[in-house]
Short mmCIF file of all heavy atoms in Angstrom, two decimals:
data_model
loop_
_atom_site.label_atom_id
_atom_site.label_comp_id
_atom_site.label_asym_id
_atom_site.label_seq_id
_atom_site.Cartn_x
_atom_site.Cartn_y
_atom_site.Cartn_z
N ALA C 193 14.95 0.89 -12.89
CA ALA C 193 15.54 1.54 -11.67
C ALA C 193 16.11 2.93 -12.01
O ALA C 193 16.85 3.48 -11.19
CB ALA C 193 16.63 0.65 -11.10
N ASP C 194 15.74 3.53 -13.15
CA ASP C 194 16.15 4.92 -13.37
C ASP C 194 15.45 5.77 -12.34
O ASP C 194 14.36 5.58 -11.97
CB ASP C 194 15.76 5.36 -14.78
CG ASP C 194 16.47 4.65 -15.89
OD1 ASP C 194 17.49 3.95 -15.60
OD2 ASP C 194 16.00 4.73 -17.04
N ARG C 195 16.22 6.86 -11.90
CA ARG C 195 15.74 7.69 -10.85
C ARG C 195 14.38 8.35 -11.23
O ARG C 195 14.18 8.86 -12.27
CB ARG C 195 16.75 8.82 -10.57
CG ARG C 195 16.40 9.56 -9.27
CD ARG C 195 17.27 10.77 -9.04
NE ARG C 195 16.76 12.00 -9.63
CZ ARG C 195 15.63 12.60 -9.33
NH1 ARG C 195 14.74 12.06 -8.51
NH2 ARG C 195 15.29 13.77 -9.91
N VAL C 196 13.46 8.24 -10.25
CA VAL C 196 12.16 8.89 -10.37
C VAL C 196 11.77 9.50 -9.01
O VAL C 196 12.48 9.29 -8.03
CB VAL C 196 11.04 7.88 -10.79
CG1 VAL C 196 11.29 7.29 -12.13
CG2 VAL C 196 10.92 6.77 -9.76
N ASP C 197 10.72 10.28 -9.00
CA ASP C 197 10.25 10.93 -7.74
C ASP C 197 9.09 10.14 -7.19
O ASP C 197 8.07 10.00 -7.88
CB ASP C 197 9.88 12.41 -8.05
CG ASP C 197 11.09 13.22 -8.51
OD1 ASP C 197 12.22 12.91 -8.03
OD2 ASP C 197 10.86 14.19 -9.27
N TYR C 198 9.25 9.73 -5.95
CA TYR C 198 8.18 8.95 -5.30
C TYR C 198 6.80 9.63 -5.28
O TYR C 198 5.78 8.92 -5.39
CB TYR C 198 8.60 8.48 -3.88
CG TYR C 198 8.90 9.57 -2.96
CD1 TYR C 198 7.87 10.29 -2.30
CD2 TYR C 198 10.21 9.99 -2.69
CE1 TYR C 198 8.18 11.33 -1.44
CE2 TYR C 198 10.51 11.00 -1.78
CZ TYR C 198 9.50 11.65 -1.19
OH TYR C 198 9.76 12.68 -0.34
N PRO C 199 6.73 10.95 -5.11
CA PRO C 199 5.34 11.53 -5.12
C PRO C 199 4.57 11.26 -6.36
O PRO C 199 3.36 10.99 -6.32
CB PRO C 199 5.57 13.05 -4.94
CG PRO C 199 6.93 13.12 -4.31
CD PRO C 199 7.77 11.97 -4.87
N ASP C 200 5.22 11.23 -7.53
CA ASP C 200 4.55 10.96 -8.78
C ASP C 200 3.86 9.63 -8.78
O ASP C 200 2.70 9.49 -9.20
CB ASP C 200 5.52 11.09 -9.97
CG ASP C 200 6.14 12.43 -10.11
OD1 ASP C 200 5.51 13.44 -9.71
OD2 ASP C 200 7.29 12.49 -10.68
N PHE C 201 4.54 8.63 -8.28
CA PHE C 201 3.97 7.25 -8.27
C PHE C 201 3.01 7.08 -7.07
O PHE C 201 2.06 6.32 -7.20
CB PHE C 201 5.11 6.21 -8.28
CG PHE C 201 5.82 6.23 -9.60
CD1 PHE C 201 6.89 7.05 -9.83
CD2 PHE C 201 5.31 5.48 -10.69
CE1 PHE C 201 7.53 7.08 -11.07
CE2 PHE C 201 5.95 5.54 -11.89
CZ PHE C 201 6.99 6.37 -12.11
N GLY C 202 3.27 7.78 -5.98
CA GLY C 202 2.33 7.72 -4.89
C GLY C 202 0.96 8.30 -5.25
O GLY C 202 -0.14 7.77 -4.96
N TYR C 203 1.01 9.46 -5.96
CA TYR C 203 -0.24 10.10 -6.41
C TYR C 203 -0.98 9.20 -7.42
O TYR C 203 -2.21 9.12 -7.38
CB TYR C 203 0.00 11.49 -7.03
CG TYR C 203 0.65 12.48 -6.08
CD1 TYR C 203 1.44 13.52 -6.54
CD2 TYR C 203 0.37 12.48 -4.72
CE1 TYR C 203 1.99 14.45 -5.70
CE2 TYR C 203 0.95 13.42 -3.90
CZ TYR C 203 1.73 14.42 -4.40
OH TYR C 203 2.28 15.38 -3.56
N LYS C 204 -0.19 8.60 -8.31
CA LYS C 204 -0.83 7.70 -9.33
C LYS C 204 -1.52 6.53 -8.65
O LYS C 204 -2.65 6.18 -8.96
CB LYS C 204 0.27 7.22 -10.26
CG LYS C 204 -0.20 6.53 -11.49
CD LYS C 204 1.00 6.27 -12.40
CE LYS C 204 0.61 5.62 -13.69
NZ LYS C 204 1.74 5.35 -14.58
N LEU C 205 -0.84 5.92 -7.64
CA LEU C 205 -1.42 4.82 -6.93
C LEU C 205 -2.67 5.27 -6.17
O LEU C 205 -3.74 4.58 -6.18
CB LEU C 205 -0.40 4.20 -5.98
CG LEU C 205 -0.88 3.07 -5.09
CD1 LEU C 205 -1.27 1.89 -5.90
CD2 LEU C 205 0.23 2.69 -4.09
N ALA C 206 -2.60 6.36 -5.46
CA ALA C 206 -3.73 6.92 -4.74
C ALA C 206 -4.93 7.18 -5.65
O ALA C 206 -6.09 6.85 -5.23
CB ALA C 206 -3.30 8.22 -4.01
N ALA C 207 -4.69 7.64 -6.82
CA ALA C 207 -5.80 7.90 -7.75
C ALA C 207 -6.49 6.57 -8.16
O ALA C 207 -7.70 6.55 -8.31
CB ALA C 207 -5.29 8.66 -9.03
N ALA C 208 -5.67 5.53 -8.38
CA ALA C 208 -6.22 4.20 -8.78
C ALA C 208 -7.11 3.69 -7.65
O ALA C 208 -8.19 3.11 -7.90
CB ALA C 208 -5.09 3.26 -9.07
N VAL C 209 -6.68 3.83 -6.38
CA VAL C 209 -7.46 3.30 -5.25
C VAL C 209 -8.72 4.19 -5.07
O VAL C 209 -9.82 3.63 -4.92
CB VAL C 209 -6.60 3.20 -4.01
CG1 VAL C 209 -7.45 2.79 -2.80
CG2 VAL C 209 -5.48 2.12 -4.25
N ALA C 210 -8.52 5.49 -5.08
CA ALA C 210 -9.66 6.41 -4.85
C ALA C 210 -10.73 6.24 -5.92
O ALA C 210 -11.92 6.36 -5.61
CB ALA C 210 -9.09 7.81 -4.83
N SER C 211 -10.34 5.99 -7.12
CA SER C 211 -11.32 5.86 -8.20
C SER C 211 -12.05 4.53 -8.22
O SER C 211 -13.05 4.32 -8.91
CB SER C 211 -10.67 6.03 -9.58
OG SER C 211 -9.87 4.90 -9.90
N GLY C 212 -11.52 3.54 -7.46
CA GLY C 212 -12.10 2.17 -7.48
C GLY C 212 -11.48 1.30 -8.54
O GLY C 212 -11.88 0.14 -8.66
N ALA C 213 -10.53 1.81 -9.28
CA ALA C 213 -9.85 0.95 -10.27
C ALA C 213 -9.07 -0.21 -9.58
O ALA C 213 -8.85 -1.24 -10.21
CB ALA C 213 -8.88 1.80 -11.13
#
Side-chain angles (χ1 to χ4, degrees):
D194 292 347
R195 192 188 89 61
V196 296
D197 295 329
Y198 59 80
D200 298 334
F201 291 91
Y203 297 152
K204 190 174 184 180
L205 177 64
V209 173
S211 72

